[in-house]
């Protein structure tokens, strides 16, 4: 089955429709699909680079494990709330100092937060948590323990899934809220109000402040960041292992597959990537068109508008004078 | 069984039983009974709809019998007759999304079989890959042993999940189709890739415009101002966001510039916001949805026609603009570079800056008076694309298709599995078997021989004789 008739070779075929060409309609030229491009702008991944990036996922997984370990210790009375509070306070201060040290230079454009403002937020949060901890303690009393555990598990999973791994500072609202919801659920099953308060402060440290510090660390000291990630992973597996060895094995397997196996798959499967692009693709608008809309205060938009109004006014004046 | 049925049931007149396909030029081609199937037809308005209508009219003029099958639009259901006895079946099928029907692969078979048998259809021609009804018709037609043609009117990407799925469905649907028609070479490349087709069974037949509908009238232009006309649906794919950037840029630089925008859609908000913010109420006029007959009246008021589409298989709009004698400025996307010769169009990359630069060169040419007159542009464009030419070329496709053998069920199943992959191929092979069994049931229940033959409104022995000088492309006359 070939084209309907043999074309006269005298005139070359052109990719135009407005010209009657001496070729049948189903003619297939040499140049057919010549504008097809494959895998344009594809990224070539190196295995260890991907492993490093995936390490952050493993680290977050271990953070959740560490939090659960702490809760298990608290629930069984092996860890007193006072110890946890003091440890949290010390690590918070150390972390704050490190964070300040890493943010040495001021970024242009945004006002740096003062120490006073930080202290203010911390005080407000702590006093409110402390005040409300008796309420939080009895919050889930009417709910069965199984439901509370199931809910916490789902919420921690949601935290892990929705965590903004690429840009963890500030932590995404969905992931942070899911994690705090889970911690309230778990903390309400602890024996006393002080336990609840200690657990919630610890949750804030692990899920809200720690990712910020880690993000800063990743930017400023990538080498140390890898070390910290490995440390947290070992800590998570070890901590969970002291209470629940089966869980520790599962966590180790999960960490291994997330940080080692998945990157391997990604790099291996990259060979099979076959992305085709061509003139039929929908053009993308790369420019930022929002400055034409929305903001009145935008200098350019306002200037254009003012200019236009002026011109309009001038033309109306001219009409009046005429 | 299928073969026998095909031989008995679907060769209505002695004319169509010819021994071999007549491919050579000059030999008068045989007459076909064609059934156009698409979800999109009047009262819906757009490129596909007018393509089907105009092509049908020209095919009737050439002596073929044509019926159109679409779904019911509101209270418009049943059978309607249009100009020259063109019969339209508005089938009562449930609309799902965007005027496209839901498909179960089976429920439309009884109705479609009725139409195909009663009208003695020989070729089923489906239009538009968005039309579920068209795909259903192709599927049922193959089960009934009919030859099929498909016209693709749009481009589709390959990047996201939805396009992966729809492309797979298209692969299945076009696997059995005898011939595919695309409206531009870019569209052909796209369809060949999407449906994994042999490029030799894909023809390129462009759309057309009726030049008598789009004639220039410079007296309608406002002399002291330069008017840029945009006629398009106001949706993202038509690049309305770009237009929202162009308007303030150019209005600032050229105080005698005004925009006339015809069309409706969700992106109207963007334009209204721009108009509000820069206080351009007297210079940007939004006309809302336009009827096809009103388009020319808008076009002739302009000096420049602007098209900002982000993707376009053919783009009839720029052709209409040029036919009305306007200077055309357009984005260089899809099949647009193939449509008009370079002296009639200014093509720009799809960015605000490039489009503004393109428009400004055309405005400068306008001011210096170095643009060709509207009449000369119209004269240049009017013979480029005609529906008669489209019909002639489509007729060749029918001639070729009519001579082809319809695969029996076993070969069809084997081809489905070989062509569409083991999973999708097997699923659709199973559906094809079910469809075939359903057809057997229907044939037992209402045998073909007891079904009445429909009165032939068109064609050589048609009831409605054509007027001796029937002008094709009359205004749509719907009772």
């Amino acid at each position: 089955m070939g084209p309907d008739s043999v074309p006269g070779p005298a005139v070359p075929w052109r990719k135009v429709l407005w010209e009657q060409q001496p070729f049948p309609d189903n003619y297939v030229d040499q140049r057919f699909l010549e504008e097809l491009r494959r895998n344009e702008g594809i990224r070539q991944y190196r295995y260890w680079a991907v492993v490093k990036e995936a390490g952050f996922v493993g680290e977050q997984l271990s953070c959740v494990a560490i939090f659960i370990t702490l809760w298990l210790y608290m629930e069984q009375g092996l860890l007193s709330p006072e110890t946890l509070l003091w440890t949290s306070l010390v690590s918070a201060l150390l972390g704050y100092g490190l964070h300040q040290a890493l943010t040495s230079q001021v970024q242009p454009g945004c006002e740096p937060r003062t120490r006073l403002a930080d202290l203010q937020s911390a005080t407000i949060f702590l006093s409110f948590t402390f005040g409300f901890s008796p309420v939080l303690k009895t919050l889930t009393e009417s709910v069965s323990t199984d439901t509370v555990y199931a809910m916490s598990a789902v919420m921690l999973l949601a935290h892990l899934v929705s965590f903004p791994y690429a840009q963890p500072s500030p932590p995404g609202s969905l992931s942070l809220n899911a994690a705090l919801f889970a911690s309230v659920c778990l903390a309400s099953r602890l024996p006393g109000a002080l336990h609840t308060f200690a657990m919630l402060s610890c949750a804030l440290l692990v899920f809200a402040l720690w990712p910020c510090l880690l993000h800063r660390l990743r930017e400023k000291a990538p080498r140390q960041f890898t070390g910290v990630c490995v440390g947290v992973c070992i800590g998570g597996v070890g901590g969970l292992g002291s209470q629940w060895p089966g869980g520790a094995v599962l966590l180790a397997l999960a960490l291994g597959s997330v940080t080692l196996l998945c990157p391997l798959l990604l790099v291996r499967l990259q060979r099979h990537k076959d992305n085709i692009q061509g003139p039929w693709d929908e053009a993308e608008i790369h420019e930022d068109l929002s400055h034409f809309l929305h903001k009145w205060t935008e200098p350019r938009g306002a200037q254009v508008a003012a200019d236009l109004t002026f011109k309009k006014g001038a033309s109306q004046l001219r009409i009046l004078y005429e | 069984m299928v073969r026998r049925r095909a031989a008995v049931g679907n060769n209505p007149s002695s004319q169509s039983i010819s021994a071999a396909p007549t491919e050579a030029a000059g030999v008068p081609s045989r007459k076909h009974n064609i059934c156009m199937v698409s979800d999109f037809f009047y009262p819906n308005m757009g490129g596909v709809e007018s393509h089907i209508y105009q092509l049908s009219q020209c095919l009737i003029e050439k002596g073929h019998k044509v019926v159109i099958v679409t779904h019911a639009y509101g209270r418009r259901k049943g059978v309607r007759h249009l100009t020259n006895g063109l019969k339209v079946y508005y089938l009562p099928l449930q609309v799902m999304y965007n005027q496209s029907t839901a498909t179960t692969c089976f429920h439309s078979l009884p109705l479609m079989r009725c139409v195909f048998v009663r009208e003695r259809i020989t070729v089923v021609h489906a239009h538009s890959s968005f039309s579920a009804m068209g795909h259903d018709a192709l599927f049922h037609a193959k089960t009934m042993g009919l030859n099929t043609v498909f016209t693709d009117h749009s481009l589709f990407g390959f990047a996201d999940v939805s396009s992966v799925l729809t492309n797979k469905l298209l692969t299945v649907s076009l696997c059995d189709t005898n011939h595919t028609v695309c409206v531009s070479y870019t569209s052909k490349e796209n369809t060949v890739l999407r449906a994994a087709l042999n490029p030799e069974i894909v023809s390129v037949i462009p759309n057309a415009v009726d030049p008598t509908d789009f004639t220039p009238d410079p007296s309608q232009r406002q002399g002291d101002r330069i008017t840029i006309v945009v006629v398009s649906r106001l949706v993202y794919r038509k690049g309305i966001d770009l237009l929202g950037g162009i308007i303030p840029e150019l209005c600032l630089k050229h105080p005698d510039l005004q925009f006339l925008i015809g069309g409706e859609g969700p992106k109207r908000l963007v334009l209204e916001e721009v108009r509000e913010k820069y206080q351009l109420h007297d210079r940007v006029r939004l006309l809302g949805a336009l009827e096809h007959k009103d388009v020319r009246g808008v076009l002739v008021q302009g000096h420049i026609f602007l098209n900002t589409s982000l993707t376009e298989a053919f783009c009839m709009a720029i052709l209409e603009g040029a036919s009305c004698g306007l200077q055309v400025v357009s984005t260089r996307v899809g099949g647009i570079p193939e449509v008009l010769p370079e002296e009639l169009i200014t093509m720009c990359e799809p960015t605000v800056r490039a489009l503004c630069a393109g428009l400004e060169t055309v405005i400068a040419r306008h001011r210096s008076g170095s643009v060709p007159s509207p009449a000369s542009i119209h004269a240049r464009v009017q013979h480029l694309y005609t529906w008669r030419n489209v019909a002639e070329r489509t007729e060749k496709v029918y001639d070729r298709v009519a001579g082809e053998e319809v695969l029996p069920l076993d070969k069809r199943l084997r081809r489905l599995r070989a062509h569409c992959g083991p999973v999708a191929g097997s699923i659709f092979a199973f559906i094809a078997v079910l469809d075939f069994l359903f057809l057997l049931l229907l044939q037992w229940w209402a045998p073909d021989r007891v079904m009445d033959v429909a009165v032939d409104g068109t064609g050589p022995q048609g009831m409605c004789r054509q007027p001796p000088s029937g002008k094709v492309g009359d205004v749509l006359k719907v009772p």
Side-chain angles (χ1 to χ4, degrees):
Chain A
M1 207 160 36
D4 285 342
S5 61
V6 182
V11 262
W13 176 82
R14 290 169 68 195
K15 195 179 174 178
V16 290
L17 297 165
W18 45 270
E19 201 179 54
Q20 294 282 345
Q21 301 189 64
F23 296 96
D25 287 329
N26 61 343
Y27 173 70
V28 183
D29 194 69
Q30 298 279 316
R31 288 166 54 204
F32 185 67
L33 288 180
E34 72 168 0
E35 283 171 272
L36 174 74
R37 306 182 307 275
R38 280 177 192 277
N39 292 337
E40 199 171 62
I42 195 171
R43 272 182 68 184
Q44 288 299 333
Y45 293 108
R46 287 204 329 278
Y47 178 64
W48 286 108
V50 182
V51 168
K52 246 182 219 173
E53 295 294 316
F56 195 32
V57 183
E59 184 273 339
Q60 202 58 31
L61 195 60
S62 306
C63 273
V64 171
I66 287 173
F67 181 75
I68 292 173
T69 313
L70 286 174
W71 179 79
L72 284 171
Y73 273 99
M74 294 273 280
E75 202 207 14
Q76 289 162 13
L78 297 171
L79 181 69
S80 72
E82 290 86 2
T83 327
L84 185 61
L85 275 175
W86 282 116
T87 327
S88 300
L89 186 64
V90 170
S91 38
L93 286 175
L94 280 176
Y96 186 69
L98 189 60
H99 191 265
Q100 290 293 326
L102 287 171
T103 20
S104 46
Q105 69 269 44
V106 180
Q107 287 122 324
C110 63
E111 197 87 341
R113 272 173 71 88
T114 57
R115 302 245 157 84
L116 190 67
D118 289 339
L119 188 68
Q120 209 174 0
S121 331
T123 319
I124 289 173
F125 183 82
L126 287 177
S127 50
F128 267 87
T129 316
F130 188 73
F132 280 112
S133 53
V135 180
L136 294 175
K137 166 77 189 67
T138 53
L139 193 64
T140 60
E141 226 159 47
S142 58
V143 184
S144 90
T145 307
D146 285 348
T147 313
V148 168
Y149 288 168
M151 215 139 64
S152 317
V154 169
M155 282 301 145
L156 286 174
L157 212 62
H159 162 73
L160 284 176
V161 170
S162 62
F163 190 80
Y165 293 99
Q167 184 61 257
S169 170
S173 67
L174 178 60
S175 70
L176 184 61
N177 279 313
L180 288 181
F181 184 83
S183 359
V184 169
C185 285
L186 287 176
S188 67
R189 281 290 176 268
L190 290 176
L194 191 64
H195 288 76
T196 310
F197 172 61
M199 206 65 232
L200 284 179
S201 317
C202 174
L204 194 75
L205 214 61
V206 173
F207 295 122
L209 300 179
W210 174 240
C212 295
L213 177 63
L214 218 56
H215 174 61
R216 208 27 69 76
L217 203 65
R218 182 160 71 169
E219 274 179 351
K220 295 285 153 69
R223 210 173 277 273
Q224 282 80 350
F225 169 77
T226 318
V228 170
C229 279
V230 173
V232 172
C233 288
I234 291 171
V237 174
L240 204 60
S242 66
Q243 279 293 314
W244 179 28
V249 173
L250 282 180
L251 178 65
L253 283 177
L255 287 176
S257 62
V258 164
T259 52
L260 299 175
L261 201 62
C262 290
L264 190 70
L265 275 178
L266 178 71
V267 173
R268 280 283 167 83
L269 292 178
Q270 201 67 6
R271 271 187 299 158
H272 302 289
K273 193 167 174 119
D274 185 16
N275 216 334
I276 45 183
Q277 284 111 354
W280 48 80
D281 283 324
E282 191 175 302
E284 286 170 34
I285 301 176
H286 294 293
E287 299 157 287
D288 179 27
L289 299 177
S290 58
H291 68 261
F292 290 112
L293 295 173
H294 310 311
K295 275 183 281 177
W296 258 109
T297 48
E298 180 76 34
R300 184 182 157 73
Q303 186 209 331
V304 172
D307 235 339
L308 281 170
T309 347
F310 172 72
K311 283 196 178 165
K312 211 165 100 179
S315 64
Q316 274 163 0
L317 271 180
R318 207 171 54 221
I319 291 164
L320 275 179
Y321 273 110
E322 279 164 12
Chain B
M1 182 65 195
V2 175
R3 295 284 302 131
R4 193 165 56 77
R5 246 197 46 70
V8 175
N10 298 303
N11 288 327
S13 61
S14 57
Q15 281 163 302
S16 65
I17 308 172
S18 76
T22 49
E23 304 259 314
V27 179
S29 55
R30 53 188 170 161
K31 301 305 171 196
H32 306 283
N33 294 350
I34 302 146
C35 179
M36 305 274 180
V37 189
S38 180
D39 272 318
F40 312 111
F41 194 65
Y42 185 84
N44 212 36
M45 268 302 169
V48 180
E49 291 82 350
S50 66
H51 179 104
I52 296 174
Y53 175 76
Q54 301 278 10
L55 178 60
S56 302
Q57 288 296 350
C58 288
L59 287 168
I60 288 172
E61 191 189 57
K62 286 181 150 295
H64 300 284
K65 173 183 167 175
V66 185
V67 294
I68 297 174
V69 173
T70 184
H71 67 77
Y73 280 86
R75 289 181 56 210
R76 185 183 295 271
K77 47 189 141 187
V79 181
R80 301 265 178 147
H81 292 270
L82 309 188
T83 314
N84 292 334
L86 175 60
K87 193 189 279 181
V88 187
Y89 285 86
Y90 288 94
L91 303 184
L93 298 173
Q94 186 57 48
V95 175
M96 188 175 58
Y97 174 69
N98 248 344
Q99 288 304 345
S100 180
T101 47
T103 174
T104 57
C105 294
F106 305 114
H107 74 294
S108 53
L109 178 60
L111 280 172
M112 295 238 188
R113 171 174 171 259
C114 253
V115 176
F116 294 166
V117 172
R118 283 166 53 86
E119 297 286 348
R120 297 292 186 253
I121 295 302
T122 52
V123 178
V124 173
H125 189 167
H127 289 264
S128 177
S129 48
F130 293 116
S131 165
M133 195 174 180
H135 293 303
D136 269 12
L138 292 178
F139 200 70
H140 300 324
K142 277 296 157 191
T143 310
M144 292 176 64
L146 300 174
N147 283 311
T148 51
V149 177
F150 174 76
T151 299
D152 201 353
H153 292 262
S154 41
L155 299 176
F156 229 82
F158 298 89
D160 50 8
V161 181
S162 83
S163 43
V164 169
L165 286 174
T166 42
N167 290 348
K168 194 73 198 176
L169 287 178
L170 192 75
T171 312
V172 173
S173 187
L174 295 194
C175 161
D176 275 339
T177 304
N178 298 66
H179 208 92
T180 303
V181 177
C182 292
V183 290
S184 65
Y185 291 107
T186 304
S187 168
K188 173 173 175 174
E189 292 178 345
N190 186 239
T191 306
V192 165
L193 286 172
R194 282 163 62 199
L197 291 174
N198 171 11
E200 279 170 7
I201 63 160
V202 183
S203 288
V204 175
I205 302 176
N207 273 323
V209 293
D210 191 344
T212 55
D213 276 355
F214 294 95
T215 48
D217 183 5
S219 64
Q220 297 289 316
R221 294 179 173 181
Q222 235 171 308
D224 55 339
R225 284 188 157 191
I226 293 180
T227 310
I228 297 179
V229 179
V230 178
V231 177
S232 113
R233 280 176 300 123
L234 304 181
V235 293
Y236 173 79
R237 281 162 73 95
K238 298 288 181 188
I240 301 304
D241 300 82
L242 292 176
L243 183 60
I246 294 166
I247 289 172
E249 285 274 332
L250 286 182
C251 281
L252 174 66
K253 284 189 190 160
H254 304 276
D256 59 341
L257 199 66
Q258 63 175 4
F259 283 84
L260 204 55
I261 299 166
E264 195 54 75
K267 287 284 178 188
R268 185 188 172 112
L269 275 181
V270 173
L271 299 179
E272 279 180 352
E273 218 169 320
V274 165
R275 191 171 67 165
E276 193 71 35
K277 183 177 160 188
Y278 297 98
Q279 302 182 6
L280 294 169
H281 295 81
D282 53 341
R283 295 173 60 186
V284 178
R285 274 164 58 204
L286 298 174
L287 301 172
L290 290 180
E291 290 214 17
H292 191 253
K293 63 178 167 48
D294 302 330
V295 170
R296 189 235 168 201
V298 175
L299 287 175
V300 292
Q301 294 177 41
H303 299 82
I304 299 168
F305 183 84
L306 174 63
N307 169 54
T308 52
S309 287
L310 301 179
T311 174
E312 202 74 69
F314 179 81
C315 200
M316 280 160 109
I318 55 170
L319 210 53
E320 291 168 357
S323 186
C324 285
L326 276 72
Q327 294 288 313
V328 176
V329 177
S330 171
T331 46
R332 189 193 304 273
V333 294
I336 288 178
E338 303 167 29
V339 175
L340 282 174
E342 264 171 37
E343 64 269 23
L344 294 179
I345 184 170
T346 308
M347 277 183 291
C348 317
E349 292 309 309
T351 60
V352 171
R353 183 176 299 174
L355 280 164
C356 282
L359 281 167
E360 284 199 73
T361 50
V362 176
I363 291 169
R365 252 189 279 156
H366 240 289
R367 292 196 201 285
S368 67
S370 63
V371 288
S373 72
S376 67
I377 298 175
H378 176 75
R380 180 92 170 77
V381 173
Q382 66 173 338
H383 300 299
L384 293 184
Y385 301 97
T386 59
W387 287 112
R388 286 208 176 83
N389 178 263
V390 172
E392 257 168 44
R393 292 159 79 171
T394 313
E395 197 179 26
K396 275 187 202 152
V397 171
Y398 294 148
D399 289 343
R400 177 195 166 114
V401 159
E404 285 177 9
E405 179 202 25
V406 179
L407 287 185
L409 187 63
D410 57 333
K411 283 191 189 163
R412 186 184 174 204
L413 297 185
R414 228 168 282 150
R415 181 151 85 178
L416 268 171
R417 299 212 29 203
H419 193 253
C420 307
V423 180
S426 303
I427 293 171
F428 281 93
F430 181 64
I431 294 175
V433 171
L434 289 184
D435 207 42
F436 179 69
L437 293 175
F438 190 28
L439 178 69
L440 288 186
L441 177 76
L442 289 172
Q443 281 172 346
W444 168 79
W445 188 54
D448 288 356
R449 63 175 184 283
V450 302
M451 287 170 92
D452 291 336
V453 179
V455 177
D456 191 0
T458 65
Q461 282 88 39
M463 208 174 54
C464 306
R465 305 300 305 177
Q466 291 163 43
S469 61
K471 183 179 90 101
V472 180
D474 282 345
V475 188
L476 203 59
K477 293 188 193 87
V478 186

